[in-house]
DNA sequence: TCAGGCGTTGACCGATCGGTCAGATAGGGC
DNA sequence: GCCCTATCTGACCGATCGGTCAACGCCTGA
């Protein structure tokens, strides 16, 4: 029985991921998810406290890796931090591109939600590290283009093999980045 | 009287732009816009047929310029098309960054709406032109990162002076792009 | 002076949202 | 055979959405 519960839990999670990826978080209703699973909306809410809990659980692994990257960047300094940030973020984006895709540009709003409040601060530090010269506006602009662009792109090119996507992005980042002198 | 009507029309438009920029299109209700203007929701709908009409009118100038860019790219060929696409898009993004900002990542859904159907095709051609080698996956990935990243960035850095943003983006694009041989 | 229409309003509509709840069902332990 | 509980359901809730509508005041041209 316990196994059956876990199965249903995961089934709902997978269905939600599929729907979120197509119509986004806000654009997907609990009814949509229930229909995809083949059960009632009430059943979905029996397995999850509320809609946000589904999203939170779906994003948990990606957030964990993001936090680990944040700590790794903090542990380095100077040019090393820039390299760690660049490679770390590309890896993360490629690996979790399905999770990124399901946010479909709803980042700004979702980041406001308390559950994701700390993500914003991590993003800030990531941009600083990637910029190399955080005080130079052009460096920050470059970093922002890369972060936002890579996120969006990974959400779009879900069918390209991991290694191909990864190497293309890394090559682009190396070309685009102004090195720390 | 006719002037008063036009004034109110523009006032509603400006209020909608302000609200959209903060909470996005979907996240802004007609009630929100009416409150910002200081009138009733019904009054807003007296001046505009529906909510979508407000967005359409708000985006019209940007879409016109995008279409003009599309035609200019089509009129060129080879390496020239890549340069035209790059410079044209950066100019467009910087100039209309407030309009871009108010979409707040709702592009994917909005592009589905019939009013913006052709924008998707224009974007495809823009990516091809920017990629230079549209058949090479890495070139398309690079182009996508730049387009998506620049859009997002322009929506974010609304306070940076036009020329500073423009030159930083152009420099980045030149570094990032693989030239057509 | 008065009829007509423009701009505006609040009340209302149906649809949909996330979420609640009491009760039906079924299956395993006693 | 009986009960208990985990699972699930349909009916329902209040809130909010975009949009409609009859009616009202006011301005204007005849």
């Amino acid at each position: 029985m316990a196994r059956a519960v876990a199965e249903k839990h995961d089934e709902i999670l997978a269905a939600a991921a599929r729907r979120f990826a197509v119509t986004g978080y806000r654009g997907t209703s609990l009814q949509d998810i229930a229909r995809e699973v083949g059960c009632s909306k009430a059943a979905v809410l029996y397995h999850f406290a509320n809609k946000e809990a589904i999203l939170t659980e779906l994003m948990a692994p990606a957030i964990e890796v993001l936090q680990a990257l944040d700590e790794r960047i903090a542990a380095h300094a100077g040019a090393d931090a820039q390299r760690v940030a660049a490679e770390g973020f590309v890896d993360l984006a490629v690996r979790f591109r399905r999770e990124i895709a399901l946010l479909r540009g709803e980042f700004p709003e979702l980041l406001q939600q308390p559950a994701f409040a700390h993500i914003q601060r991590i993003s800030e530090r990531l941009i600083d590290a990637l910029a190399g010269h955080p005080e130079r506006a052009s460096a920050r602009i470059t970093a922002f283009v890369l972060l936002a662009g890579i996120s969006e792109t990974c959400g779009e090119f879900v069918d390209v093999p991991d290694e191909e996507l990864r190497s293309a992005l890394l090559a682009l980042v190396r070309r685009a980045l102004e090195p720390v002198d």
Side-chain angles (χ1 to χ4, degrees), chain A residues 9 12-17 20 25 29-30 33-34 41 44-45 47-60 102 116:
Chain A
H9 181 95
I12 292 171
L13 218 52
F20 288 166
Y25 176 69
S29 68
L30 292 171
I33 298 171
K41 186 179 65 167
V44 172
L45 287 168
H47 289 274
F48 292 88
N50 49 44
K51 192 184 175 187
E52 190 183 334
I54 302 177
L55 179 66
T56 307
E57 187 164 332
L58 227 32
M59 300 301 292
L102 64 81
F116 299 112

Side-chain angles (χ1 to χ4, degrees), chain A residues 20-21 35 45 70-71 74 90 100 109 113 130 136 139 157:
Chain A
F20 288 166
R35 198 179 304 121
L45 287 168
D70 186 42
E71 288 161 21
V90 168
I100 290 174
E109 294 161 55
Q113 290 192 238
L130 204 60
R136 201 184 293 168
F157 291 69

Side-chain angles (χ1 to χ4, degrees), chain A residues 65-66 69-70 72-73 81-96 126 130 147 166 170:
Chain A
V65 171
L66 179 64
L69 173 62
D70 186 42
R72 223 175 333 132
I73 291 173
Q82 191 183 33
R83 189 184 47 79
V84 170
E87 294 177 4
F89 184 74
V90 168
D91 279 350
L92 184 151
V94 170
R95 179 166 157 203
F96 293 104
L126 198 52
L130 204 60
L147 280 193
R166 207 184 89 93
L170 269 179

Side-chain angles (χ1 to χ4, degrees), chain A residues 15-25 28 98 101-104 155:
Chain A
R18 258 174 279 136
R19 296 304 313 162
F20 288 166
V22 176
T23 48
Y25 176 69
T28 301
R98 274 161 200 83
L102 64 81
L103 290 180
R104 299 245 308 161

Side-chain angles (χ1 to χ4, degrees), chain A residues 19 21 71 73 102 110 123 130 143 151 160 162 165 176:
Chain A
R19 296 304 313 162
E71 288 161 21
I73 291 173
L102 64 81
L110 291 173
S123 302
L130 204 60
S151 301
V160 177
D162 274 28
L165 187 55

